[in-house]
Amino acid sequence: MRAKWLALWHQPVVAFIGWTLFYFVILMALVYLYGYSGLNNSTFIYNEF
């Protein structure tokens, strides 16, 4: 069974779709975390100078 999954993963189209989904999930997590912190909520270090 594992050999079938590895053979499927080594096909270029499947590997491309898999890595694309993987990086898309990471990108969406970073966008979510960035949006959660908010642009106006954090203090910038040079605002007080």
Side-chain angles (χ1 to χ4, degrees):
M1 184 71 173
R2 181 179 171 159
K4 283 185 180 183
W5 283 109
L6 287 176
L8 184 66
W9 181 252
H10 286 294
Q11 292 184 3
V13 174
V14 176
F16 175 77
I17 292 171
W19 285 115
T20 302
L21 289 174
F22 176 72
Y23 284 115
F24 180 75
V25 167
I26 291 176
L27 182 66
M28 288 297 107
L30 290 174
V31 167
Y32 172 74
L33 291 174
Y34 181 72
Y36 183 71
S37 67
L39 290 175
N40 297 326
N41 294 339
S42 63
T43 58
F44 191 60
I45 191 170
Y46 297 113
N47 279 349
E48 297 163 3
F49 290 112

